[in-house]
């Protein structure tokens, strides 16, 4: 399922809308549940729209550097509940 969303797509520009509550973390290499909790900046609510600034592949998943409307920056991990658009809003 992940490959359907990501094949041939670069998300380094655009926006993502979250389909469920999602942790925002400081490090893109925070792979374990413990790493995520230790590096968590915030829990972003479902429906939030974020600017995608960068993308990276980590072990088994894509991660996206994002910026919130209030200026928080960090990384989110791809899940099937995200919706991507091609332009910033």
């Amino acid at each position: 399922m992940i490959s359907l969303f990501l094949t041939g797509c670069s998300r380094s520009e655009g926006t993502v809308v979250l389909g469920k509550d999602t942790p925002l973390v400081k490090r893109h290499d925070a792979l374990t549940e413990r790493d995520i909790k230790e590096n968590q900046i915030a829990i972003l609510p479902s429906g939030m729209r974020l600017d995608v600034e960068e993308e990276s592949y980590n072990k088994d998943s894509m991660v996206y550097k994002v910026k919130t409307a209030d200026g928080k920056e960090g990384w989110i991990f791809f899940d099937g509940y995200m919706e991507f658009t091609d332009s910033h809003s």
Side-chain angles (χ1 to χ4, degrees):
M1 185 169 180
I2 291 174
S3 63
L4 293 175
F5 289 104
L6 298 177
T7 302
C9 297
S10 173
R11 302 295 177 195
S12 58
E13 292 185 13
T15 60
V16 62
V17 180
L18 302 177
K20 66 178 185 177
D21 293 353
T22 303
L24 178 70
V25 296
K26 296 177 200 173
R27 297 183 7 226
H28 66 71
D29 61 347
L31 298 175
T32 67
E33 188 173 327
R34 181 178 177 183
D35 289 341
I36 290 170
K37 286 182 180 181
E38 289 176 355
N39 288 281
Q40 187 171 296
I41 297 167
I43 296 289
L44 305 176
S46 176
M48 181 175 246
R49 181 177 296 271
L50 304 161
D51 290 332
V52 176
E53 298 182 342
E54 187 178 333
E55 65 182 10
S56 183
Y57 183 76
N58 283 346
K59 192 171 176 169
D60 295 324
S61 64
M62 291 297 295
V63 292
Y64 300 94
K65 185 175 184 184
V66 297
K67 186 172 185 177
T68 65
D70 64 355
K72 290 180 185 156
E73 289 185 319
W75 295 85
I76 58 173
F77 293 84
F78 176 81
D79 66 45
Y81 298 98
M82 295 176 175
E83 179 182 328
F84 292 94
T85 63
D86 292 331
S87 61
H88 294 281
S89 57

Coordinates of all heavy atoms in Angstrom, one line a residue:
M1 N 0.8 -1.2 0.0 CA 0.0 0.0 0.0 C 0.9 1.3 0.0 O 0.6 2.2 -0.7 CB -0.9 0.0 1.2 CG -1.9 1.1 1.2 SD -3.1 0.8 2.5 CE -4.1 2.2 2.3
I2 N 1.9 1.3 0.8 CA 2.8 2.4 0.8 C 3.3 2.8 -0.6 O 3.4 3.9 -1.0 CB 3.9 2.2 1.8 CG1 3.4 2.2 3.3 CG2 5.0 3.3 1.7 CD1 4.4 1.9 4.3
S3 N 3.8 1.8 -1.3 CA 4.3 2.0 -2.6 C 3.4 2.7 -3.6 O 3.8 3.4 -4.4 CB 4.9 0.7 -3.2 OG 3.8 -0.2 -3.5
L4 N 2.1 2.5 -3.4 CA 1.1 3.1 -4.2 C 1.1 4.7 -4.0 O 0.9 5.4 -5.0 CB -0.3 2.6 -3.9 CG -0.6 1.2 -4.3 CD1 -2.0 0.8 -3.8 CD2 -0.5 1.0 -5.8
F5 N 1.3 5.1 -2.8 CA 1.4 6.5 -2.5 C 2.7 7.2 -2.9 O 2.8 8.3 -3.2 CB 1.1 6.8 -1.0 CG -0.3 6.5 -0.6 CD1 -0.6 5.4 0.1 CD2 -1.3 7.4 -1.0 CE1 -1.9 5.1 0.4 CE2 -2.6 7.1 -0.6 CZ -2.9 6.0 0.1
L6 N 3.8 6.4 -2.8 CA 5.1 7.0 -2.9 C 5.8 6.8 -4.2 O 6.8 7.5 -4.5 CB 6.0 6.5 -1.7 CG 5.5 6.8 -0.4 CD1 6.4 6.2 0.7 CD2 5.4 8.3 -0.1
T7 N 5.5 5.8 -5.0 CA 6.2 5.5 -6.2 C 6.2 6.7 -7.1 O 5.2 7.3 -7.5 CB 5.5 4.3 -6.9 OG1 5.5 3.2 -6.1 CG2 6.3 4.0 -8.2
G8 N 7.4 7.2 -7.4 CA 7.6 8.3 -8.4 C 7.2 9.6 -7.9 O 7.1 10.6 -8.6
C9 N 6.9 9.8 -6.6 CA 6.4 11.0 -6.0 C 7.5 11.6 -5.1 O 8.0 10.9 -4.2 CB 5.2 10.8 -5.2 SG 3.8 10.2 -6.2
S10 N 7.8 12.9 -5.3 CA 8.6 13.6 -4.4 C 7.8 14.5 -3.6 O 7.0 15.3 -4.1 CB 9.7 14.4 -5.1 OG 10.4 15.2 -4.2
R11 N 7.8 14.5 -2.3 CA 7.0 15.3 -1.4 C 7.8 16.4 -0.8 O 7.4 17.0 0.2 CB 6.4 14.4 -0.3 CG 5.5 13.3 -0.8 CD 4.3 13.8 -1.6 NE 3.6 12.7 -2.1 CZ 2.7 12.8 -3.1 NH1 2.4 14.0 -3.6 NH2 2.0 11.8 -3.5
S12 N 9.0 16.7 -1.4 CA 9.8 17.7 -0.8 C 9.2 19.1 -0.9 O 9.7 20.1 -0.3 CB 11.2 17.7 -1.4 OG 11.2 17.8 -2.8
E13 N 8.2 19.3 -1.8 CA 7.5 20.5 -1.9 C 6.0 20.1 -1.8 O 5.6 19.2 -2.4 CB 7.8 21.2 -3.2 CG 9.2 21.8 -3.2 CD 9.4 22.6 -4.5 OE1 8.4 22.9 -5.2 OE2 10.5 22.9 -4.8
G14 N 5.2 20.9 -1.1 CA 3.8 20.7 -1.0 C 3.3 20.6 0.4 O 4.0 21.1 1.3
T15 N 2.2 20.0 0.6 CA 1.6 19.9 1.9 C 1.1 18.5 2.2 O 0.9 17.7 1.3 CB 0.4 20.9 2.1 OG1 -0.6 20.6 1.1 CG2 0.8 22.3 1.9
V16 N 0.9 18.2 3.4 CA 0.3 17.0 3.9 C -0.8 17.3 4.9 O -0.6 18.2 5.7 CB 1.4 16.0 4.5 CG1 2.0 16.6 5.7 CG2 0.8 14.6 4.8
V17 N -1.9 16.6 4.8 CA -3.0 16.7 5.7 C -3.0 15.4 6.5 O -3.1 14.3 5.9 CB -4.3 16.9 5.0 CG1 -5.4 17.0 6.0 CG2 -4.3 18.2 4.1
L18 N -3.0 15.5 7.8 CA -2.9 14.3 8.7 C -4.3 13.7 8.8 O -5.3 14.4 9.0 CB -2.4 14.7 10.1 CG -1.0 15.3 10.1 CD1 -0.6 15.7 11.5 CD2 0.0 14.4 9.5
G19 N -4.3 12.4 8.7 CA -5.6 11.6 8.8 C -5.8 11.1 10.2 O -6.9 10.6 10.5
K20 N -4.8 11.2 11.1 CA -5.0 10.8 12.5 C -3.9 11.6 13.3 O -3.0 12.2 12.8 CB -4.8 9.3 12.7 CG -3.4 8.8 12.3 CD -3.3 7.3 12.6 CE -1.9 6.8 12.4 NZ -1.8 5.4 12.6
D21 N -4.1 11.6 14.6 CA -3.1 12.2 15.5 C -1.7 11.6 15.2 O -1.6 10.4 15.2 CB -3.5 12.1 17.0 CG -4.8 12.8 17.3 OD1 -5.3 13.6 16.5 OD2 -5.3 12.7 18.5
T22 N -0.7 12.5 15.1 CA 0.6 12.1 14.7 C 1.7 12.8 15.5 O 1.6 14.0 15.7 CB 0.8 12.5 13.2 OG1 -0.2 11.9 12.4 CG2 2.1 12.0 12.7
P23 N 2.7 12.0 16.0 CA 3.7 12.6 16.8 C 4.7 13.4 15.8 O 5.0 13.0 14.7 CB 4.5 11.4 17.4 CG 4.0 10.2 16.7 CD 2.8 10.5 16.0
L24 N 5.1 14.6 16.3 CA 6.1 15.4 15.6 C 7.4 15.2 16.5 O 7.3 15.4 17.7 CB 5.7 16.9 15.6 CG 6.7 17.9 15.0 CD1 6.8 17.7 13.5 CD2 6.3 19.3 15.4
V25 N 8.5 14.8 15.8 CA 9.7 14.4 16.6 C 10.9 15.3 16.1 O 10.8 15.8 15.0 CB 10.0 12.9 16.5 CG1 9.0 12.1 17.1 CG2 10.3 12.5 15.1
K26 N 11.9 15.4 16.9 CA 13.1 16.2 16.6 C 14.0 15.6 15.6 O 14.6 16.3 14.8 CB 13.9 16.4 17.9 CG 13.2 17.2 19.0 CD 14.2 17.3 20.2 CE 13.4 17.6 21.4 NZ 14.2 17.5 22.6
R27 N 14.1 14.3 15.6 CA 15.1 13.5 14.8 C 14.4 12.6 13.8 O 13.5 11.9 14.2 CB 16.0 12.7 15.7 CG 16.8 13.5 16.6 CD 17.8 12.6 17.4 NE 17.9 11.2 17.1 CZ 17.8 10.2 17.9 NH1 17.7 10.4 19.2 NH2 17.9 9.0 17.5
H28 N 14.9 12.6 12.6 CA 14.3 11.7 11.6 C 14.7 10.3 11.8 O 14.1 9.4 11.2 CB 14.6 12.2 10.2 CG 16.0 12.1 9.8 ND1 16.7 11.0 9.6 CD2 16.9 13.1 9.6 CE1 17.9 11.2 9.3 NE2 18.1 12.5 9.2
D29 N 15.7 10.0 12.6 CA 16.2 8.7 12.8 C 15.6 8.1 14.2 O 16.1 7.1 14.7 CB 17.7 8.6 12.8 CG 18.4 9.4 13.8 OD1 17.7 10.3 14.5 OD2 19.6 9.3 14.0
A30 N 14.6 8.7 14.7 CA 14.0 8.2 15.9 C 13.0 7.0 15.5 O 11.9 7.2 15.2 CB 13.2 9.3 16.6
L31 N 13.6 5.8 15.5 CA 12.9 4.7 14.9 C 12.1 3.8 15.9 O 11.0 3.3 15.5 CB 13.8 3.8 14.2 CG 14.6 4.4 13.0 CD1 15.6 3.4 12.4 CD2 13.6 4.8 11.9
T32 N 12.5 3.7 17.1 CA 11.8 2.9 18.1 C 10.7 3.7 18.8 O 10.8 5.0 18.8 CB 12.8 2.3 19.1 OG1 13.3 3.4 19.9 CG2 13.9 1.5 18.5
E33 N 9.8 3.1 19.4 CA 8.8 3.8 20.2 C 9.4 4.6 21.3 O 9.0 5.7 21.5 CB 7.8 2.7 20.8 CG 6.6 3.4 21.4 CD 5.6 2.3 21.9 OE1 5.4 1.3 21.2 OE2 4.9 2.6 22.9
R34 N 10.5 4.1 21.9 CA 11.2 4.9 23.0 C 11.8 6.1 22.4 O 11.7 7.2 23.0 CB 12.2 4.0 23.6 CG 12.9 4.7 24.7 CD 13.9 3.8 25.4 NE 14.6 4.5 26.4 CZ 15.6 4.0 27.1 NH1 16.0 2.8 27.0 NH2 16.2 4.8 28.0
D35 N 12.5 6.0 21.2 CA 13.1 7.1 20.6 C 12.1 8.2 20.2 O 12.3 9.4 20.4 CB 13.8 6.7 19.2 CG 15.1 5.9 19.4 OD1 15.7 5.9 20.5 OD2 15.4 5.2 18.5
I36 N 11.0 7.7 19.7 CA 9.9 8.7 19.4 C 9.4 9.4 20.6 O 9.3 10.7 20.6 CB 8.8 8.0 18.6 CG1 9.2 7.5 17.3 CG2 7.5 8.9 18.5 CD1 8.3 6.6 16.5
K37 N 9.2 8.7 21.7 CA 8.7 9.4 22.9 C 9.8 10.4 23.5 O 9.4 11.5 23.9 CB 8.3 8.4 24.0 CG 7.0 7.7 23.7 CD 6.7 6.7 24.7 CE 5.3 6.0 24.4 NZ 4.9 5.1 25.4
E38 N 11.0 10.0 23.4 CA 12.1 10.8 23.9 C 12.3 12.1 23.1 O 12.8 13.1 23.6 CB 13.4 10.1 24.1 CG 13.4 9.0 25.2 CD 14.7 8.2 25.2 OE1 15.5 8.3 24.3 OE2 14.8 7.4 26.2
N39 N 12.0 12.0 21.8 CA 12.3 13.1 20.9 C 11.0 13.8 20.4 O 11.0 14.7 19.5 CB 13.0 12.6 19.6 CG 14.4 12.2 20.0 OD1 15.3 13.1 20.0 ND2 14.7 11.0 20.2
Q40 N 9.9 13.5 21.1 CA 8.6 14.1 20.7 C 8.5 15.6 21.0 O 8.8 16.0 22.1 CB 7.5 13.3 21.4 CG 6.1 13.8 20.9 CD 5.1 12.8 21.5 OE1 5.0 11.7 21.2 NE2 4.2 13.3 22.4
I41 N 8.1 16.4 20.0 CA 7.9 17.8 20.2 C 6.4 18.1 20.6 O 6.1 18.9 21.4 CB 8.3 18.6 18.9 CG1 9.8 18.4 18.6 CG2 8.0 20.1 19.1 CD1 10.2 18.8 17.3
A42 N 5.6 17.4 19.8 CA 4.1 17.6 20.0 C 3.4 16.4 19.4 O 3.9 15.6 18.6 CB 3.7 18.9 19.3
I43 N 2.1 16.3 19.7 CA 1.2 15.4 19.0 C 0.3 16.4 18.1 O -0.4 17.2 18.6 CB 0.3 14.6 20.0 CG1 1.1 13.7 20.8 CG2 -0.8 13.9 19.2 CD1 1.7 12.5 20.1
L44 N 0.4 16.1 16.8 CA -0.3 17.0 15.8 C -1.7 16.3 15.6 O -1.8 15.1 15.4 CB 0.5 17.1 14.5 CG 1.9 17.6 14.7 CD1 2.6 17.5 13.4 CD2 1.9 19.0 15.3
P45 N -2.7 17.1 15.6 CA -4.1 16.6 15.5 C -4.5 16.2 14.1 O -4.0 16.7 13.1 CB -5.0 17.7 16.0 CG -4.2 18.9 15.7 CD -2.8 18.5 15.9
S46 N -5.4 15.2 14.0 CA -5.9 14.8 12.8 C -6.5 16.0 12.1 O -7.1 16.9 12.7 CB -7.0 13.8 13.0 OG -7.7 13.4 11.8
G47 N -6.3 16.1 10.7 CA -6.9 17.2 10.0 C -5.9 18.4 9.8 O -6.1 19.3 9.0
M48 N -4.8 18.4 10.6 CA -3.8 19.4 10.5 C -3.1 19.4 9.1 O -2.8 18.4 8.6 CB -2.8 19.3 11.6 CG -1.7 20.4 11.6 SD -0.6 20.3 13.0 CE -1.1 21.9 13.8
R49 N -2.9 20.6 8.5 CA -2.2 20.7 7.3 C -0.8 21.2 7.5 O -0.6 22.2 8.3 CB -3.0 21.7 6.4 CG -2.4 21.9 5.0 CD -3.2 22.9 4.2 NE -4.5 22.3 3.9 CZ -4.8 21.5 2.8 NH1 -3.9 21.2 2.0 NH2 -6.0 21.1 2.6
L50 N 0.2 20.6 7.0 CA 1.6 20.9 7.2 C 2.3 21.1 5.9 O 2.1 20.5 4.9 CB 2.3 19.8 8.0 CG 1.6 19.3 9.3 CD1 2.1 18.0 9.7 CD2 1.9 20.3 10.4
D51 N 3.3 22.1 5.9 CA 4.2 22.3 4.8 C 5.3 21.2 4.9 O 5.9 21.1 5.9 CB 4.8 23.7 4.8 CG 3.9 24.8 4.5 OD1 2.9 24.5 3.8 OD2 4.1 25.9 5.0
V52 N 5.5 20.5 3.8 CA 6.6 19.5 3.7 C 7.8 20.2 3.2 O 7.8 20.8 2.2 CB 6.2 18.4 2.8 CG1 7.4 17.4 2.6 CG2 5.0 17.6 3.3
E53 N 8.9 20.2 4.0 CA 10.2 20.8 3.7 C 11.2 19.9 3.1 O 12.1 20.3 2.4 CB 10.7 21.6 4.9 CG 9.8 22.7 5.4 CD 10.3 23.4 6.6 OE1 11.3 22.9 7.2 OE2 9.8 24.5 6.8
E54 N 11.1 18.6 3.5 CA 12.2 17.6 3.2 C 11.6 16.2 3.4 O 10.7 16.0 4.2 CB 13.4 17.8 4.1 CG 14.6 17.0 3.7 CD 15.8 17.4 4.6 OE1 15.8 18.5 5.2 OE2 16.6 16.5 4.8
E55 N 12.1 15.3 2.6 CA 11.7 13.9 2.9 C 13.0 13.0 3.0 O 14.1 13.4 2.5 CB 10.9 13.4 1.7 CG 11.5 13.3 0.4 CD 10.6 12.8 -0.7 OE1 9.4 12.7 -0.5 OE2 11.2 12.5 -1.8
S56 N 12.9 11.9 3.7 CA 14.0 11.0 3.9 C 13.4 9.6 4.0 O 12.3 9.4 4.5 CB 14.8 11.4 5.1 OG 15.9 10.5 5.3
Y57 N 14.2 8.6 3.7 CA 13.8 7.2 3.9 C 14.6 6.6 5.1 O 15.9 6.7 5.1 CB 14.1 6.4 2.7 CG 13.6 4.9 2.8 CD1 12.3 4.6 2.7 CD2 14.5 3.9 3.0 CE1 11.8 3.3 2.9 CE2 14.1 2.6 3.2 CZ 12.7 2.3 3.1 OH 12.3 1.0 3.2
N58 N 13.9 6.1 6.1 CA 14.6 5.5 7.2 C 14.2 4.1 7.4 O 13.1 3.8 7.7 CB 14.2 6.3 8.5 CG 14.9 7.6 8.6 OD1 15.9 7.8 8.0 ND2 14.4 8.4 9.5
K59 N 15.2 3.2 7.2 CA 15.0 1.8 7.4 C 13.8 1.2 6.7 O 13.9 0.7 5.6 CB 15.0 1.4 8.9 CG 15.1 -0.1 9.1 CD 15.3 -0.4 10.6 CE 15.3 -1.9 10.7 NZ 15.7 -2.3 12.0
D60 N 12.6 1.4 7.3 CA 11.4 0.8 6.7 C 10.3 1.8 6.4 O 9.2 1.4 6.1 CB 10.8 -0.3 7.6 CG 11.7 -1.5 7.8 OD1 12.4 -1.8 6.8 OD2 11.8 -2.0 8.9
S61 N 10.6 3.1 6.5 CA 9.5 4.1 6.3 C 10.0 5.4 5.8 O 11.2 5.7 5.9 CB 8.7 4.3 7.6 OG 9.6 4.9 8.6
M62 N 9.1 6.1 5.2 CA 9.4 7.5 4.8 C 9.2 8.4 5.9 O 8.2 8.2 6.7 CB 8.6 7.9 3.6 CG 8.9 7.2 2.3 SD 10.5 7.5 1.7 CE 10.5 9.3 1.3
V63 N 10.0 9.5 6.1 CA 9.8 10.5 7.1 C 9.8 11.8 6.4 O 10.5 12.0 5.3 CB 10.8 10.5 8.2 CG1 10.6 9.2 9.1 CG2 12.2 10.5 7.7
Y64 N 9.1 12.8 6.9 CA 8.9 14.1 6.3 C 9.2 15.2 7.3 O 8.7 15.2 8.4 CB 7.5 14.3 5.7 CG 7.2 13.3 4.7 CD1 6.5 12.1 5.0 CD2 7.6 13.4 3.4 CE1 6.2 11.1 4.1 CE2 7.3 12.5 2.4 CZ 6.6 11.3 2.8 OH 6.4 10.3 1.9
K65 N 10.1 16.1 6.9 CA 10.4 17.3 7.7 C 9.2 18.2 7.4 O 9.0 18.6 6.3 CB 11.7 17.9 7.4 CG 12.0 19.1 8.4 CD 13.4 19.6 8.1 CE 13.7 20.7 9.2 NZ 15.0 21.3 8.9
V66 N 8.5 18.7 8.4 CA 7.4 19.6 8.3 C 7.5 20.8 9.2 O 8.3 20.8 10.1 CB 6.1 18.8 8.6 CG1 5.9 17.7 7.6 CG2 6.0 18.3 10.0
K67 N 6.7 21.8 8.8 CA 6.6 23.0 9.6 C 5.1 23.3 9.9 O 4.3 23.3 8.9 CB 7.2 24.1 8.9 CG 7.3 25.4 9.8 CD 8.2 26.4 9.1 CE 8.3 27.7 10.0 NZ 9.2 28.6 9.3
T68 N 4.8 23.5 11.1 CA 3.4 23.8 11.5 C 3.1 25.3 11.2 O 4.0 26.1 11.1 CB 3.1 23.5 12.9 OG1 3.8 24.3 13.8 CG2 3.3 22.0 13.2
A69 N 1.9 25.7 11.2 CA 1.5 27.1 11.1 C 2.1 28.0 12.2 O 2.3 29.2 12.0 CB 0.0 27.2 11.0
D70 N 2.2 27.4 13.4 CA 2.8 28.2 14.5 C 4.3 28.1 14.6 O 4.9 28.5 15.6 CB 2.1 27.8 15.8 CG 2.4 26.4 16.3 OD1 3.0 25.6 15.5 OD2 2.0 26.0 17.4
G71 N 5.0 27.6 13.5 CA 6.4 27.6 13.5 C 7.2 26.4 14.0 O 8.4 26.4 14.0
K72 N 6.5 25.4 14.6 CA 7.2 24.2 15.0 C 7.7 23.4 13.9 O 7.0 23.2 12.9 CB 6.2 23.3 15.9 CG 5.9 23.9 17.2 CD 5.0 22.9 17.9 CE 4.5 23.6 19.2 NZ 3.2 23.1 19.7
E73 N 8.9 23.0 14.0 CA 9.5 22.1 12.9 C 10.0 20.8 13.5 O 10.4 20.7 14.6 CB 10.8 22.8 12.3 CG 10.4 24.0 11.5 CD 11.7 24.6 10.8 OE1 12.7 24.7 11.4 OE2 11.5 25.0 9.6
G74 N 9.8 19.8 12.7 CA 10.2 18.4 13.1 C 9.9 17.4 12.0 O 9.6 17.8 10.9
W75 N 9.9 16.2 12.4 CA 9.7 15.1 11.5 C 8.4 14.3 11.8 O 8.1 14.1 13.0 CB 10.9 14.2 11.5 CG 12.1 14.8 11.0 CD1 13.0 15.6 11.8 CD2 12.7 14.8 9.7 NE1 14.0 16.0 11.0 CE2 13.9 15.6 9.7 CE3 12.3 14.2 8.5 CZ2 14.6 15.8 8.6 CZ3 13.1 14.4 7.4 CH2 14.2 15.1 7.4
I76 N 7.7 13.8 10.8 CA 6.6 12.9 11.0 C 6.9 11.7 10.1 O 7.6 11.7 9.1 CB 5.2 13.5 10.6 CG1 5.2 14.0 9.1 CG2 4.9 14.6 11.5 CD1 3.9 14.4 8.6
F77 N 6.4 10.5 10.5 CA 6.5 9.3 9.8 C 5.3 9.0 9.0 O 4.2 9.2 9.4 CB 6.7 8.1 10.8 CG 8.0 8.3 11.6 CD1 8.1 9.0 12.7 CD2 9.2 7.6 11.2 CE1 9.3 9.2 13.4 CE2 10.4 7.8 11.8 CZ 10.4 8.5 13.0
F78 N 5.6 8.5 7.8 CA 4.5 8.2 6.8 C 3.6 7.1 7.4 O 4.0 6.2 8.0 CB 5.1 7.7 5.5 CG 4.0 7.2 4.5 CD1 3.3 8.2 3.8 CD2 3.6 5.9 4.5 CE1 2.3 7.8 2.9 CE2 2.5 5.6 3.6 CZ 1.9 6.5 2.9
D79 N 2.3 7.4 7.2 CA 1.3 6.3 7.5 C 0.2 6.5 6.4 O 0.1 7.4 5.7 CB 0.7 6.4 8.9 CG -0.1 7.6 9.1 OD1 -1.0 8.0 8.3 OD2 0.0 8.3 10.2
G80 N -0.6 5.5 6.2 CA -1.6 5.4 5.2 C -2.7 6.4 5.3 O -3.6 6.5 4.5
Y81 N -2.7 7.1 6.4 CA -3.8 8.1 6.6 C -3.5 9.5 6.2 O -4.3 10.4 6.3 CB -4.2 8.1 8.1 CG -4.7 6.8 8.6 CD1 -3.8 5.9 9.3 CD2 -6.0 6.4 8.4 CE1 -4.2 4.7 9.7 CE2 -6.4 5.1 8.9 CZ -5.5 4.3 9.5 OH -6.0 3.1 9.9
M82 N -2.3 9.7 5.6 CA -1.9 11.1 5.2 C -2.4 11.3 3.8 O -2.5 10.4 3.0 CB -0.4 11.2 5.2 CG 0.2 11.1 6.6 SD 2.0 11.1 6.5 CE 2.4 11.1 8.2
E83 N -2.7 12.6 3.5 CA -3.1 13.0 2.2 C -2.2 14.1 1.7 O -2.0 15.1 2.4 CB -4.5 13.5 2.2 CG -5.0 14.0 0.8 CD -6.4 14.5 0.9 OE1 -7.2 14.1 1.7 OE2 -6.7 15.5 0.1
F84 N -1.5 13.9 0.6 CA -0.6 14.8 0.0 C -1.2 15.7 -1.0 O -2.0 15.2 -1.8 CB 0.7 14.1 -0.5 CG 1.5 13.4 0.5 CD1 1.3 12.1 0.8 CD2 2.4 14.1 1.2 CE1 2.0 11.5 1.8 CE2 3.2 13.5 2.2 CZ 3.0 12.2 2.5
T85 N -0.8 17.0 -1.1 CA -1.2 17.9 -2.1 C 0.1 18.5 -2.7 O 1.2 18.4 -2.1 CB -2.1 19.0 -1.7 OG1 -1.4 19.8 -0.7 CG2 -3.3 18.4 -1.0
D86 N 0.0 19.0 -3.9 CA 1.2 19.5 -4.6 C 1.6 20.9 -4.3 O 2.6 21.4 -4.7 CB 1.0 19.4 -6.1 CG 1.0 17.9 -6.6 OD1 1.6 17.1 -5.9 OD2 0.3 17.6 -7.6
S87 N 0.8 21.7 -3.6 CA 1.1 23.1 -3.4 C 1.0 23.4 -1.9 O 0.3 22.8 -1.1 CB 0.2 24.0 -4.1 OG -1.1 23.8 -3.8
H88 N 1.8 24.4 -1.5 CA 1.7 24.9 -0.1 C 0.4 25.7 0.0 O -0.1 26.3 -0.9 CB 2.9 25.8 0.2 CG 4.2 25.1 0.2 ND1 4.6 24.3 1.2 CD2 5.1 25.0 -0.8 CE1 5.8 23.8 0.9 NE2 6.1 24.3 -0.3
S89 N -0.1 25.7 1.3 CA -1.3 26.5 1.5 C -1.2 27.3 2.7 O -0.3 27.1 3.5 CB -2.6 25.6 1.6 OG -2.4 24.7 2.6

